[in-house]
Amino acid sequence: MAGSGAPKLYRAIIDTLQAEIASGKYKAGDRLPPERELVERFDVSRLTLREAMIGMEIIGLVEARRGSGVYVTERSSEMLSPSELDIGAFELTEARRLVEGECAALAAVTADADDITDLRMILDRMIEENERELLDEVADREFHLRIAQATRNDAILLVVETLWDVRHRSPLCMKMLERSRRSGVKPRIDDHRAIVDAIAANDATGARKAMRDHLGRVIDNLLTATEMDGIERVRAEAAELRSRTQRFAPI
């Protein structure tokens, strides 16, 4: 069994591919194998592999080209090391799903009328942020911390605050969340409203499920936003086919 000092899976992938690039197996300009092959080779999920690929982009080893794949770049003396990446968004959101699901369940038991009023007011601000297309997601963070406050448990509040603070301290996490925002993903108002409604109804089971479902969808959105070989490639191929058809269409 791996000890506590064992490297994270995405770090192990980066270390292996970095060594292969250094050995000349993959040279500058070479395309890395497609996602499917790397998933099978390293026996990991697509989420873990995408964390690794985005991490390799951040440290300057590769670049992702839309509709084409991931390519090795020219080596730079200013590259970051894999140890500077810290925690990825998938890993973080998985932890949040576990912690905040139970947090919401407890809040459904402990929250009072003032807590519910505050949560609904924050939800209104979240709607406004979405309409103004603000990227800071201040209201989203405030919403989740307010639920933690409603548990009346300072230890839980500290844990939830820490998980949110990691979002801004980790280069890998921020890069992945930026991609998600660029793809048009915004805080889901219906998800958050379902959480408040369950807490207001003192429905611990419903609150837990609503929070876990919400953060499960956050993971799904990250997966879609970091698609490397799927949607964009199909779109590019379709656009090229339309272009060729139009060039040779009869006048």
Side-chain angles (χ1 to χ4, degrees):
M1 182 181 295
S4 60
K8 296 174 182 176
L9 287 176
Y10 78 82
R11 287 273 305 279
I13 296 170
I14 293 175
D15 289 344
T16 298
L17 293 176
Q18 186 174 26
E20 291 178 349
I21 291 170
S23 72
K25 179 176 180 179
Y26 299 112
K27 300 179 178 62
D30 286 350
R31 183 182 186 273
L32 291 182
E35 178 180 282
R36 180 186 64 260
E37 292 183 20
L38 292 174
V39 164
E40 292 176 357
R41 175 187 173 186
F42 291 104
D43 191 23
V44 296
S45 68
R46 289 183 300 161
L47 303 183
T48 297
L49 184 71
R50 290 177 191 179
E51 283 187 331
M53 292 299 105
I54 293 171
M56 290 176 70
E57 279 192 84
I58 293 172
I59 64 178
L61 283 171
V62 301
E63 64 176 356
R65 301 176 188 173
R66 281 193 168 186
S68 180
V70 179
Y71 291 80
V72 178
T73 60
E74 295 287 347
R75 299 298 299 275
S76 169
S77 59
E78 298 180 355
M79 287 197 308
L80 296 171
S81 71
S83 62
E84 294 177 80
L85 293 173
D86 206 3
I87 296 173
F90 294 126
E91 187 177 7
L92 176 68
T93 307
E94 183 179 47
R96 286 186 56 208
R97 190 166 182 257
L98 291 171
V99 172
E100 293 195 46
E102 296 309 309
C103 178
L106 179 57
V109 177
T110 59
D112 60 22
D114 289 340
D115 296 321
I116 302 304
T117 297
D118 286 350
L119 286 170
R120 296 201 188 281
M121 290 175 60
I122 296 169
L123 188 60
D124 289 339
R125 292 202 294 275
M126 200 181 304
I127 294 171
E128 182 182 354
E129 285 186 356
N130 280 357
E131 291 174 347
R132 295 170 60 192
E133 298 189 353
L134 300 177
L135 299 181
D136 290 339
E137 299 181 4
V138 173
D140 190 18
R141 181 181 191 276
E142 186 179 356
F143 179 90
H144 288 268
L145 293 186
R146 188 65 184 82
I147 291 174
Q149 290 172 351
T151 67
R152 309 293 188 266
N153 186 312
D154 287 342
I156 290 176
L157 175 59
L158 177 61
V159 171
V160 174
E161 281 184 322
T162 300
L163 289 171
W164 274 83
D165 289 345
V166 166
R167 286 163 56 106
H168 301 285
R169 292 202 306 264
S170 167
L172 177 57
C173 188
M174 287 302 295
K175 183 74 170 180
M176 296 170 76
L177 291 170
E178 276 177 22
R179 287 194 175 192
S180 183
R181 286 195 295 269
R182 285 203 306 270
S183 72
V185 173
K186 300 176 182 178
R188 299 175 63 107
I189 301 304
D190 289 346
D191 282 7
H192 290 79
R193 183 174 289 114
I195 296 167
V196 178
D197 289 345
I199 293 173
N202 303 121
D203 180 0
T205 300
R208 179 188 295 109
K209 183 179 186 301
M211 181 66 79
R212 288 177 63 84
D213 287 350
H214 161 57
L215 291 171
R217 280 185 278 273
V218 171
I219 292 174
D220 290 341
N221 289 337
L222 285 166
L223 186 60
T224 299
T226 56
E227 191 76 58
M228 293 187 296
D229 289 322
I231 296 172
E232 290 298 339
R233 184 184 67 229
V234 171
R235 286 176 178 167
E237 291 173 352
E240 175 61 23
L241 179 60
R242 284 196 299 271
S243 177
R244 290 202 306 268
T245 302
Q246 289 169 359
R247 284 202 302 269
F248 296 103
I251 299 174

